[in-house]
Amino acid sequence: MNENKFQDKIDSERKIEPKDWMPEAYRKHLIRQISQHAHSEIIGMQPEGNWISRAPSLRAKMILLAKVQDEAGHGLYLYSACETLGVSRQELIQQLHDGKAKYSSIFNYPTLSWADMGAIGWLVDGAAIVNQVSLQRTSYGPYSRGMIKICKEESFHQRQGYEIMAEMASGTPEQKEMAQDALNRFWWPSIMMFGPHDGDSPRTGNAMKWKIKRQTNDELRQSFIDKTVHQAEIIGLTIPDPDLKWNEERGHYDFGKMDWDEFWDVVNGKGPCNKQRLDHHKKAHIDGKWVREAAKAYSKKQKDLIIN
Amino acid sequence: MSLLNYTLRIADSSLISGQRLAEWCTNAHTLEEDIALSNIALDLFGQANILLEYASELDGNKTADDFAFKRNEREFFNLKMTEQPNGHFGDTIVKLFLFSSFNFLFYNKLSQSKNKNLSAFAFKSLKEVKYHLKHSKSWMVRLGDGTKESNKKVQESLNSLWEFTGEFFEMDEIDNELNKKGIGVNNKSIKEDWNNIINTTLLDSKLKRPEDGYMQTGSKSGLHTEHLGRLLSEMQYLQRAYPDAKW
Ligand SMILES: [Fe+2]
Ligand SMILES: [Fe+2]
Ligand SMILES: [Fe+2]
C-alpha cells in the first residue's frame, strides 16, 4: 500500500521529503549515494589544496582557495541532506575512516603541476556538473535542492579551470607541455567518474525506477565527452584517445576502451593516493580531537552556569 | 620611498599571515573551522592584494605579483609573528588573536590617515579584522577555559609566541616621518588599548599573561626568522622556476 503510494508520487514527479514514508532500500540507497558524494567533495579538497601555497599569482591563489572552500561547503550541505535520512555526520565520517564508504576515485590521483588545477576544474568539476545537473531532478527533495545550489558553483569552478588550461595552452612551450600532460593524466579517470557501463552497474535498476538517478552512466559519459572534445580543440590540446571520432549516424563521438581493471583497482584501494588521502583526513580528525573536546567542555560549563 | 616601504610592511604582514592560515585548508578539526580559517586567509590575501597594487602604483615599475613573488627574504617587511609556523590549532589561534587585536587597533588609527589610499584600505579592512578578532577571541576562551589539556596547550602557545609582540609597537625613522605627516600610525599610542584587549581576554580565558622578556625585533629592516625563507621558496616557486611564463 505504502509502496504503491510512494511509487505513484515518484511517477508523478513529486519529491519525497524526509518525513514521507519510503522503502528501506530507497533510504539506504540514498544514504550511500549522498554520503559518497559528500565524502568526494571533502576528499576532493586535498588534490587542489596541494597547490594553494604554490599558486603562481595572488589572483590564482584567491580563486583556488575560494574554490576549495566551496567544496567544503558542498560537503557540509550534503552531510546535512544525509542527516535528514537519520544518520549523523559523525557516523558518516566513521564509515569513511573505516573504509566502508567510498568517494570518487578521481581524487586518488596526485596533482603534479599547476596545470592539474586547470584539468581538475575543467574535467573533474565538468564531469561532476553533467552528473549533478541530472541529479537536480532526483526524487529526494533535500538532495535535489542541494544539487541546484551546488551546480551554480560547480559551473563557476569548471570555467575557472578551463581558463587556467587555456592560459597555459597558449603560454610558453613548457606551460603548454604541462597542460597537455595534465589532460593526458586526467582524461581517462575523468570519463570513468561516471562509473561502469550500464550493463555492469549493479545498482542502476532500482535507482532509475525510484528516479534517484535520471540518466544512465553511459548517457552521462557520452554527453560529457561530446561537450568536452570541442573545448579541447579550441585551446589546441589533444584528447589522449586515438579512437575518438565523430559518428555522424549516432550524432555522438565514438571513443576508445576504458581501462576498467585500473578503475576497479583504484576503487578497491589500489591507487596512487588512496592511502594518503584517507590518512590525511584521519590525521586532521585525530589532531583536532583535543580542540573538539575543549569546545564541548566549554559549552557544557556555560550551560551549567545558566542552569545553576 | 618611505611611503612605499610603509605600505609594503602592512601588505607583507597580511600576505604572510594569509599564506600560513591557508595551510590549514583540509587540516582543521571540523569542516566549519576549515571554512572559517580559509575565509580569514582570503580576507588577508585580499588586503595584501589591495596594498600591493598600491605599492605597484607608487613604484611605477613592478606589478603587485612582482612584489609578492619576486622579492627575497631581506626585502620582506612582515612582522615576524606572521611567518611563524602554524604549529597546532592553539598556536595558530594565539598567533591570530595577538595579531588581529593589534591589527584592529592599527587599522582603526590608519583609517584616519591623510593618505586616501591607506585610509580607504584601513576602513575597508577594519570590518574584516573585527571578525578575525572575534573569531580568534572566541577560540581563546574556549581553549583556555575548555579542558585541562587545552588550557595547558594554549598557555604554552602564548608563552612561546609572546616574544613576537614587541615588534607591534616599535617605531623607526619611517614610522616617525609618516606619523608626523599624518599618514602613518603612532604604534606606541595603541599599546594601552591593546593591553586592555589582551588582559580582558586572558582573564576570560583563564590564561596568564606572560612576562615581557626578550623581544624579537628586525622585520622593519627585513631581518627575519629562518621560517620566512622556506615559506617564500614554496610560495614563489612557479614564478621563479618559469620567469617567462604568464599565469
Ligand atoms: Fe563541489
Ligand atoms: Fe560535487
Ligand atoms: Fe567544484
Side-chain angles (χ1 to χ4, degrees):
Chain A
M1 185 54 212
N2 271 338
E3 185 104 41
N4 288 343
K5 253 170 77 184
F6 170 82
Q7 192 63 48
D8 279 352
K9 204 166 185 185
I10 285 178
D11 292 341
S12 61
E13 296 294 331
R14 279 172 298 161
K15 297 289 178 223
I16 305 298
E17 295 299 333
K19 291 205 169 85
D20 295 346
W21 184 90
M22 61 186 84
E24 211 32 48
Y26 176 83
R27 182 190 304 275
K28 275 206 181 121
H29 188 110
L30 275 172
I31 290 177
R32 199 189 52 243
Q33 181 168 334
I34 302 175
S35 70
Q36 193 170 319
H37 193 164
H39 297 325
S40 301
E41 302 282 355
I42 300 309
I43 297 292
M45 293 165 69
Q46 290 180 36
E48 289 178 290
N50 183 36
W51 280 88
I52 294 169
S53 67
R54 291 176 290 173
S57 71
L58 287 167
R59 180 175 174 270
K61 195 188 275 294
M62 289 191 273
I63 289 175
L64 183 63
L65 180 55
K67 190 223 179 210
V68 177
Q69 192 193 31
D70 283 347
E71 307 299 2
H74 299 170
L76 258 186
Y77 209 74
L78 287 161
Y79 284 129
S80 311
C82 222
E83 284 182 321
T84 64
L85 293 158
V87 51
S88 71
R89 202 205 302 183
Q90 210 178 335
E91 289 171 83
L92 295 170
I93 288 174
Q94 196 56 50
Q95 289 171 5
L96 175 68
H97 288 177
D98 293 343
K100 286 182 197 144
K102 303 263 185 245
Y103 55 86
S104 181
S105 274
I106 191 83
F107 303 121
N108 288 320
Y109 293 89
T111 51
L112 304 175
S113 83
W114 176 251
D116 292 12
M117 299 304 98
I120 289 184
W122 174 35
L123 302 174
V124 177
D125 287 77
I129 293 167
V130 170
N131 194 23
Q132 289 171 8
V133 163
S134 172
L135 284 170
Q136 289 179 343
R137 291 165 53 238
T138 194
S139 59
Y140 187 57
Y143 193 25
S144 158
R145 291 188 288 275
M147 285 300 109
I148 292 169
K149 199 169 156 185
I150 288 174
C151 271
K152 284 185 199 138
E153 288 180 354
E154 300 291 13
S155 53
F156 219 66
H157 298 166
Q158 196 265 352
R159 278 206 299 274
Q160 286 164 345
Y162 187 60
E163 189 194 308
I164 292 177
M165 274 319 239
E167 252 171 67
M168 291 189 73
S170 66
T172 64
E174 287 151 314
Q175 283 177 303
K176 177 152 191 187
E177 199 184 307
M178 278 187 249
Q180 183 62 54
D181 177 56
L183 175 56
N184 293 350
R185 282 181 288 111
F186 278 96
W187 174 254
W188 291 102
S190 296
I191 66 170
M192 287 195 279
M193 276 174 72
F194 296 97
H197 286 306
D198 298 337
D200 308 325
S201 183
R203 284 165 187 139
T204 301
N206 268 337
M208 297 291 284
K209 179 178 140 209
W210 289 332
K211 299 193 179 171
I212 293 175
K213 258 182 105 108
R214 309 293 309 233
Q215 283 168 290
T216 68
N217 295 351
D218 284 331
E219 285 167 356
L220 293 166
R221 182 171 13 246
Q222 184 71 60
S223 101
F224 172 71
I225 291 172
D226 290 347
K227 251 184 18 174
T228 309
V229 172
H230 184 57
Q231 292 169 352
E233 271 165 17
I234 292 175
I235 58 176
L237 294 179
T238 310
I239 289 178
D241 178 359
D243 297 324
L244 194 74
K245 223 182 29 253
W246 178 251
N247 183 325
E248 194 66 58
E249 218 168 289
R250 290 205 308 129
H252 290 296
Y253 279 94
D254 290 337
F255 52 96
K257 266 180 100 166
M258 292 166 275
D259 183 350
W260 293 108
D261 290 339
E262 177 185 323
F263 176 80
W264 287 114
D265 273 351
V266 180
V267 168
N268 292 316
K270 285 175 269 176
C273 298
N274 293 57
K275 183 168 158 30
Q276 179 192 330
R277 300 288 186 240
L278 210 54
D279 285 352
H280 181 119
H281 196 271
K282 283 183 195 165
K283 184 177 184 303
H285 197 71
I286 293 164
D287 287 352
K289 191 165 171 254
W290 71 275
V291 180
R292 291 191 301 274
E293 281 171 359
K296 218 164 135 191
Y298 177 77
S299 85
K300 187 172 179 302
K301 283 184 208 175
Q302 296 311 105
K303 272 183 208 141
D304 291 350
L305 274 180
I306 296 166
I307 295 165
N308 294 328
Chain B
M1 239 15 227
S2 301
L3 182 57
L4 175 60
N5 197 299
Y6 193 77
T7 304
L8 288 174
R9 289 176 183 181
I10 309 168
D12 290 349
S13 284
S14 293
L15 177 60
I16 302 301
S17 309
Q19 179 75 6
R20 280 295 186 215
L21 273 183
E23 290 173 18
W24 271 100
C25 190
T26 74
N27 291 302
H29 62 273
T30 58
L31 270 176
E32 287 82 352
E33 191 59 29
D34 217 287
I35 293 174
L37 293 177
S38 291
N39 248 329
I40 298 176
L42 279 169
D43 285 345
L44 291 164
F45 289 137
Q47 291 172 13
N49 194 35
I50 293 175
L51 288 180
L52 292 178
E53 289 288 351
Y54 181 47
S56 154
E57 210 181 293
L58 291 171
D59 177 83
N61 193 16
K62 288 183 184 155
T63 66
D65 279 339
D66 289 341
F67 276 113
F69 296 97
K70 291 183 175 160
R71 274 181 299 154
N72 296 324
E73 290 97 309
R74 295 282 280 109
E75 299 163 305
F76 267 80
F77 303 111
N78 58 288
L79 292 161
K80 281 183 175 180
M81 169 87 78
T82 61
E83 74 210 30
Q84 298 313 302
N86 282 339
H88 57 61
F89 184 70
D91 295 324
T92 294
I93 286 300
V94 167
K95 224 171 24 149
L96 184 63
F97 168 66
L98 294 171
F99 175 61
S100 302
S101 52
F102 162 74
N103 248 356
F104 171 67
L105 298 167
F106 178 80
Y107 285 164
N108 206 5
K109 291 265 178 195
L110 190 67
S111 66
Q112 292 145 36
S113 168
K114 279 185 184 153
N115 177 299
K116 286 219 172 64
N117 286 77
L118 290 181
S119 65
F121 159 79
F123 187 75
K124 181 207 161 278
S125 306
L126 205 48
K127 268 182 280 176
E128 295 167 352
V129 175
K130 240 185 219 166
Y131 166 72
H132 306 171
L133 179 56
K134 189 176 157 210
H135 185 76
S136 55
K137 203 167 142 181
S138 83
W139 272 116
M140 288 296 287
V141 178
R142 275 179 282 175
L143 296 177
D145 192 13
T147 62
K148 253 195 191 137
E149 184 195 7
S150 68
N151 176 278
K152 182 168 176 278
K153 274 192 139 128
V154 78
Q155 181 68 58
E156 280 167 12
S157 314
L158 191 60
N159 296 347
S160 66
L161 286 160
W162 193 252
E163 67 182 34
F164 296 103
T165 58
E167 279 197 328
F168 295 172
F169 309 104
E170 288 177 351
M171 292 291 285
D172 71 352
E173 288 146 48
I174 292 177
D175 290 307
N176 284 324
E177 179 199 328
L178 291 175
N179 182 236
K180 241 177 245 154
K181 289 183 187 157
I183 294 171
V185 175
N186 179 359
N187 298 330
K188 291 195 193 313
S189 74
I190 54 183
K191 177 88 190 250
E192 205 184 310
D193 286 339
W194 186 77
N195 279 334
N196 281 336
I197 297 179
I198 300 300
N199 294 343
T200 53
T201 306
L202 294 186
L203 199 67
D204 290 345
S205 313
K206 309 220 159 90
L207 295 168
K208 284 193 238 21
R209 180 175 168 134
E211 297 283 322
D212 282 1
Y214 168 73
M215 286 290 176
Q216 294 273 351
T217 181
S219 68
K220 283 183 198 290
S221 47
L223 289 166
H224 290 276
T225 60
E226 288 171 352
H227 302 295
L228 184 67
R230 288 177 183 279
L231 179 149
L232 293 181
S233 62
E234 186 173 336
M235 184 175 87
Q236 299 178 335
Y237 146 70
L238 281 171
Q239 291 259 1
R240 302 281 193 169
Y242 304 98
D244 302 328
K246 277 209 206 91
W247 305 93

